[in-house]
Amino acid sequence: MKLALRHAFVLLVCAFALFPILFVVSAAINPLGTLASSDLVPNGASLDNFAKLFSSDIYPFGRWVSNSVFIALASSSASLLLSMFAAYAFSRMRFAGRRVGLLALLLIQMFPQFLAIVTIFMIFTRVSELYPAFGFNTTWGILLLYLGGALGVNTWLMKGFLDTIPKELDESATVDGATHAQVFWKIIMPLVTPILAVTALLAFIGTMSEFLMANIFLRDAESKTLAVGMYGMIAGDGRNANFGMFAAATLITAIPTVSVFLWLQKFIVSGLTAGAVKG
């Protein structure tokens, strides 16, 4: 009896988790493409919504995908590298202001970046006048904006992982004549693969799904990211008419995130199973 109840509970949880996915898939292949006509089992399933999505003159979906993937990859890669440099310095080196710097990073992260939106908007207004390539409606501008708010959390996360690696490895490599750069790239980096993969994945997902800042700084249709562009598809009167296209876009949006997760999964597993010191 207990086993049957456990199985029933598991099936109930699976059904609860799969229902939204099935509904989105059903709406994506529904040829009518409206919210009012959405049903769990559509009549005459087709890929018309996907075709309309990529052929629409109003919604440049392909451009949104390329913008989001480029910004997410560039932002996560750059923030990962900068955070790793900072975490290595805070974990392995002793210098004046180290404790104050760590506390400052922690305190700054307690306040969301959106609280400074007015100041950031004024700065970008001036930047748009002097350097238009890094101002509003530009990929490089929003990329710099994301990099400014990604350092604190990643640095603390990586520092905690670096603190678990024995410093004897660094010291033995230094005795053998290795420089700080060689210790960092050849000794430390291979050992921190799991946290690098996890941090990169979290940064990628966070950037792909970010909406508030992008909605303010990206107003031109060609410069929008997926989150901003897809919101415009269902805003106002488009909620009912474009629901099929929106569901199709949702399924396509999941492809980059799942691909990055599958690619990083092997690094997480291999890093966790590898040992640095063998007795």
Side-chain angles (χ1 to χ4, degrees):
M1 184 64 180
K2 291 183 178 180
L3 184 61
L5 290 176
R6 291 176 182 176
H7 286 146
F9 178 76
V10 171
L11 292 176
L12 182 63
V13 171
C14 291
F16 180 79
L18 291 176
F19 177 77
I21 301 177
L22 293 177
F23 181 78
V24 171
V25 173
S26 174
I29 61 177
N30 190 339
L32 298 179
T34 61
L35 179 60
S37 63
S38 297
D39 198 358
L40 192 60
V41 182
N43 296 323
S46 68
L47 300 178
D48 291 344
N49 289 320
F50 293 90
K52 293 177 182 178
L53 186 64
F54 284 98
S55 61
S56 175
D57 296 330
I58 302 176
Y59 307 112
F61 182 75
R63 183 67 177 177
W64 297 345
V65 173
S66 61
N67 289 342
S68 294
V69 172
F70 174 77
I71 292 173
L73 287 176
S75 176
S76 58
S77 300
S79 64
L80 191 68
L81 188 62
L82 293 175
S83 300
M84 190 60 202
F85 287 158
Y88 179 76
F90 282 122
S91 177
R92 287 298 197 262
M93 301 178 182
R94 298 296 180 266
F95 52 89
R98 173 179 174 274
R99 183 177 178 81
V100 175
L102 284 172
L103 291 177
L105 286 176
L106 181 62
L107 291 175
I108 291 174
Q109 293 305 307
M110 293 181 179
F111 302 94
Q113 191 179 16
F114 193 74
L115 290 179
I117 189 63
V118 176
T119 304
I120 296 175
F121 190 88
M122 295 176 63
I123 293 174
F124 266 75
T125 301
R126 185 60 175 167
V127 170
S128 299
E129 297 175 356
L130 300 177
Y131 308 100
F134 296 93
F136 293 112
N137 295 317
T138 62
T139 301
W140 297 110
I142 196 68
L143 182 59
L144 291 176
L145 183 62
Y146 287 155
L147 287 178
L151 187 61
V153 175
N154 295 343
T155 300
W156 268 96
L157 190 64
M158 293 183 182
K159 178 189 176 298
F161 195 92
L162 281 172
D163 289 342
T164 64
I165 298 177
K167 294 183 179 180
E168 288 77 10
L169 293 174
D170 305 34
E171 296 171 356
S172 61
T174 304
V175 171
D176 291 336
T179 62
H180 285 295
Q182 290 174 328
V183 171
F184 178 80
W185 291 109
K186 296 183 178 181
I187 305 296
I188 299 299
M189 288 296 285
L191 299 178
V192 296
T193 302
I195 195 62
L196 291 177
V198 171
T199 305
L201 180 62
L202 294 177
F204 184 86
I205 294 174
T207 306
M208 285 287 292
S209 59
E210 201 283 324
F211 171 76
L212 292 177
M213 304 295 288
N215 188 45
I216 294 174
F217 290 88
L218 302 177
R219 309 302 299 176
D220 184 65
E222 292 292 330
S223 66
K224 291 181 179 180
T225 57
L226 279 170
V228 180
M230 290 172 60
Y231 172 77
M233 293 174 61
I234 59 172
D237 298 334
R239 182 183 299 274
N240 181 56
N242 299 327
F243 187 75
M245 293 172 56
F246 177 80
T250 302
L251 296 178
I252 297 175
T253 303
I255 295 177
T257 303
V258 173
S259 300
V260 171
F261 173 77
L262 294 177
W263 177 59
L264 293 176
Q265 187 179 27
K266 60 182 180 180
F267 295 102
I268 298 174
V269 174
S270 62
L272 291 176
T273 56
V277 180
K278 296 182 179 180

